[in-house]
């Protein structure tokens, strides 16, 4: 039975990957509860795609990212900010029938279009969900990899977002971020800022690679130590 049926529940998470279009900055959210607000601009979602699939395949973008991040048969992977499904489709093929891909997006129309694509392509190992910008609501101890491709700079509440992802990772699970090395206002994330925000929530950088095929870099993180209390998280003051 195809598991791409859209769950009729309020938000689970995701943001559509931007395509580097005009930067329109959202105000920093005022109500972030016990979590600190990000001390940087937040780029607006401008497109469900970063580039065309044909152009990305010519550069072997997805193949290179999956190879370097160790995505393999039988794994369970979350594609956060799945957009039109460029990575979702290719991840489904890579993890195979014994693996699983959870694809999420916060834009209902984008989620619906991706769900239709998954059903049309008969991807039985893919689930498509509507997401919430601050809480992925992923099941605990379930994911080998959580991918965020060209969307990290669009997250309004990164500290809460990363804090809530931590329990979903398996013991050796990793969060994989692909982004451009430029200011968040210009639809990218400076690597120092990225590392600082992850470290603030208890992640360590395990690998960093330049990724010209994906228009920037790829960073891989693992959770370490105890998850900090929200009130103890300190916002980074690195220019974004």
């Amino acid at each position: 039975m195809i598991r791409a049926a859209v769950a009729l529940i309020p938000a689970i998470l995701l943001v559509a990957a931007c395509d580097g279009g005009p930067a329109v900055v959202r105000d920093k959210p005022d109500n972030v509860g016990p979590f600190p607000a990000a001390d940087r601009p937040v780029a607006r979602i401008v497109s469900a795609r970063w580039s065309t699939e044909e152009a990305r395949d010519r550069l072997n973008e997805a193949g290179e990212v999956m190879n370097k991040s160790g995505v393999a048969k039988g794994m369970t992977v979350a594609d956060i900010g799945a957009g039109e499904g460029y990575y979702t489709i290719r991840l489904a093929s890579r993890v195979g029938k014994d693996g699983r891909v959870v694809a999420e997006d916060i834009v209902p129309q984008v989620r619906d279009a991706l769900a239709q694509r998954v059903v049309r392509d008969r991807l039985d190992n893919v689930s498509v969900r509507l997401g919430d910008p601050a809480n992925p609501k992923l099941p605990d101890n379930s994911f080998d990899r959580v991918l965020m491709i060209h969307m990290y700079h669009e997250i309004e509440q990164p500290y809460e977002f990363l804090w809530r992802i931590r329990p979903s990772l398996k013991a050796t699970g990793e969060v994989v971020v692909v982004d451009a090395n430029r200011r968040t206002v210009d639809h990218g994330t400076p690597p120092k800022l990225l590392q600082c925000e992850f470290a603030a929530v208890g992640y360590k950088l395990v690998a960093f690679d330049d990724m010209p095929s994906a228009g920037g870099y790829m960073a891989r993180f693992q959770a370490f130590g105890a998850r900090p209390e929200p009130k103890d998280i300190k916002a980074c003051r690195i220019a974004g």
Side-chain angles (χ1 to χ4, degrees), residues 138-150:
L138 298 173
D140 289 354
N141 192 32
S142 297
F143 292 91
D144 299 287
R145 300 290 184 271
V146 174
L147 270 60
M148 297 190 284
I149 310 296
H150 288 292

Side-chain angles (χ1 to χ4, degrees), residues 29-182:
D30 294 323
N31 181 17
V32 292
F35 296 91
D39 187 33
R40 59 168 170 83
V42 180
R44 174 168 293 176
I45 301 168
V46 295
S47 175
R49 66 170 60 179
W50 178 72
S51 180
T52 66
E53 296 196 8
E54 293 79 8
R56 298 170 88 171
D57 277 345
R58 283 197 295 272
L59 296 172
N60 191 33
E61 177 191 333
E64 188 174 4
V65 168
M66 290 189 293
N67 289 342
K68 286 183 177 294
S69 59
V71 176
K73 295 290 185 185
M75 280 188 170
T76 299
V77 181
D79 183 11
I80 307 300
E84 295 180 343
Y86 173 74
Y87 272 85
T88 300
I89 304 305
R90 289 153 183 81
L91 286 167
S93 177
R94 175 65 66 94
V95 303
K97 62 181 179 62
D98 294 325
R100 187 184 180 197
V101 177
V102 175
E104 298 186 2
D105 205 285
I106 62 170
V107 180
Q109 298 90 332
V110 173
R111 181 276 315 267
D112 293 347
L114 178 55
Q116 292 172 7
R117 181 178 186 181
V118 167
V119 171
R120 183 175 63 248
D121 290 353
R122 299 182 180 276
L123 301 177
D124 295 343
N125 60 347
V126 176
S127 299
V128 180
R129 299 178 178 179
L130 183 66
D132 181 84
N135 185 359
K137 298 181 182 176
L138 298 173
D140 289 354
N141 192 32
S142 297
F143 292 91
D144 299 287
R145 300 290 184 271
V146 174
L147 270 60
M148 297 190 284
I149 310 296
H150 288 292
M151 53 71 67
Y152 184 80
H153 51 272
E154 297 170 349
I155 300 173
E156 292 186 10
Q157 300 177 34
Y159 301 106
E160 180 177 2
F161 187 90
L162 295 175
W163 189 86
R164 297 192 183 282
I165 280 179
R166 278 194 50 156
S168 73
L169 296 171
K170 294 181 180 179
T172 58
E174 297 180 2
V175 179
V176 179
V177 177
V178 173
D179 214 341
N181 184 2
R182 52 180 180 248

Side-chain angles (χ1 to χ4, degrees), residues 184-211:
T184 56
V185 70
D186 296 322
H187 294 279
T189 308
K192 287 186 178 179
L193 175 63
L194 180 77
Q195 293 177 42
C196 181
E197 291 184 347
F198 269 80
V201 190
Y203 292 84
K204 62 181 178 181
L205 180 70
V206 296
F208 185 92
D209 295 285
D210 289 329
M211 192 68 64

